[in-house]
Structures are given as structure tokens and as C-alpha cells.
Amino acid sequence: MPKMKTNRGAAKRFKCTGSGKIVRRKAFSSHILTKKSTKRKRNLRQAGIVDDTNVKGIKRLLPYLK
């Protein structure tokens, strides 16, 4: 059986926490920032945790993610 390939785009976007949850960056933080409030932009800086409904698909893209 050949080795499985990691999806390189997904590997750059997702990391695993110590407890096994998958961490992601939040969207809508790259441009058109003038109309967004300071509070909203500040909250976009924090990392988010991937929802349980999407974890299975991401683990398929990243077979060696611990």
C-alpha cells in the first residue's frame, strides 16, 4: 500500500491542539476593513476551532495530523 498524501493547502491552514482539536484562522479579515468595527476585527485575530461537522473531512485531507 503506498503512502497517503497530505493535502498541502489544508496543511497550511489547519493545526492540531494538544487536546486533539483542529484550529483554524477566521475569514473576512484580509481587506475591506474600514467598515468593520474595531471589536469585530480584534475578534477575527483569534484562532477558531473547527466545528465537529467538518472534522471528519479535514482529517481525511490530513491523514498524518496528530
Side-chain angles (χ1 to χ4, degrees):
M1 190 79 190
K3 286 191 229 176
M4 292 181 285
K5 283 198 172 183
T6 295
N7 181 300
R8 298 310 295 162
K12 293 165 190 174
R13 286 171 170 83
F14 301 107
K15 286 187 173 63
C16 198
T17 63
S19 60
K21 292 179 182 171
I22 300 174
V23 176
R24 64 174 177 85
R25 284 204 35 140
K26 290 183 183 169
F28 309 109
S29 62
S30 59
H31 62 102
I32 316 176
L33 298 170
T34 51
K35 63 175 78 169
K36 293 169 189 160
S37 69
T38 310
K39 180 181 178 181
R40 184 174 165 193
K41 288 187 279 190
R42 188 168 58 245
N43 286 330
L44 288 170
R45 279 186 228 138
Q46 269 71 355
I49 293 175
V50 173
D51 194 70
D52 293 336
T53 55
N54 300 317
V55 168
K56 186 180 173 186
I58 290 168
K59 288 200 172 180
R60 191 175 291 144
L61 293 171
L62 304 168
Y64 299 104
L65 186 73
K66 296 292 172 224

